[in-house]
Amino acid sequence: MTDFLSTHWLDIVTTILGLIYLVLEYRASIALWVVGIVMPAMDIYLYWSHGLYGDAGMAVYYTLAAIYGYAVWKFGAKWKAMIKRKGSDKKEGASAVSSDKTEAASAVSSSSEDLPITFFPRRLILRTLGFFFLAWAATYYVLVAYTNSTVPLLDAFTNALSFVGLWALARKYVEQWLFWIAVDVVCCYLYVVKGIPFKAGLYGLYVVIAVMGYWKWKGLARKAQV
């Protein structure tokens, strides 16, 4: 038992952190980004020590993306309020001092709010699809040319869509859950094929939680529109 724990303790800890991350994500808690920074940082060593260099590289991206996500969720509303106030100041000039004071007070009030949950803007669909297919193709090329991957097409798919999913999560778009559902379904299949049943079961759970999260966030976004 001791030997097992000493060998697999990092795998166990990161798996537990992964479950905590999903619960926090479902609740739309900013604490998810704290876990999202710690967990992949630990995964970098875990994957590298097992020769999973591609996954180690993705873990580096996940760590940096989590730092970005935390900053956007924490300060996004404040940054938008400041930009809006500066733009108004330039238009109104010195004659609108009293009006600027009112707007500044409103900006301070809104800065204390987290970035709201919203729906994916239609204007970003084509650009997002373009980035996804470009990332998919580039990752596929790297896996085929520089690794001995036996599933480069699907492996590249999950990597590319994960980039999009993390970005959409950082922007608090409802549809980010749909991206993760697709990623988790494919990963579940890959792990079954590769003979990793427990990991496959974990990703099966991810799918269920992602479906629940999608409906919860969708409801929250609709309430915010009222």
Side-chain angles (χ1 to χ4, degrees), residues 38-62:
V38 175
M39 179 180 64
M42 298 174 70
D43 281 337
I44 295 172
Y45 175 77
L46 175 65
Y47 293 145
W48 189 272
S49 64
H50 285 77
L52 301 172
Y53 307 117
D55 286 344
M58 282 299 298
V60 173
Y61 168 76
Y62 288 151

Side-chain angles (χ1 to χ4, degrees), residues 81-100:
M82 290 175 64
I83 293 173
K84 182 179 179 180
R85 181 166 55 117
K86 288 180 180 179
S88 179
D89 288 344
K90 291 179 180 179
K91 291 180 180 179
E92 295 179 7
S95 61
V97 174
S98 60
S99 176
D100 288 344

Side-chain angles (χ1 to χ4, degrees), residues 137-179:
T139 307
Y140 174 78
Y141 171 77
V142 170
L143 290 175
V144 170
Y146 300 103
T147 75
N148 58 353
S149 175
T150 57
V151 286
L153 187 66
L154 292 180
D155 199 6
F157 172 85
T158 57
N159 275 262
L161 195 56
S162 293
F163 282 115
V164 178
L166 276 171
W167 168 77
L169 172 59
R171 303 308 307 173
K172 265 190 173 179
Y173 293 139
V174 174
E175 290 77 6
Q176 61 96 10
W177 288 107
L178 299 180
F179 300 144

Side-chain angles (χ1 to χ4, degrees), residues 4-22 35-43 45-47 199 202 206:
F4 177 83
L5 291 177
S6 63
T7 302
H8 299 284
W9 72 270
L10 190 56
D11 189 14
I12 294 171
V13 170
T14 53
T15 299
I16 293 173
L17 288 176
L19 293 173
I20 294 174
Y21 177 91
L22 280 176
V35 178
I37 294 170
V38 175
M39 179 180 64
M42 298 174 70
D43 281 337
Y45 175 77
L46 175 65
Y47 293 145
K199 200 72 171 180
L202 179 61
Y206 284 175

Side-chain angles (χ1 to χ4, degrees), residues 18 44 55 59 78 103 106 117 153 194 220 226:
I44 295 172
D55 286 344
K78 181 177 180 180
E103 188 173 350
S106 175
I117 296 174
L153 187 66
K194 290 183 177 183
L220 292 173
V226 177

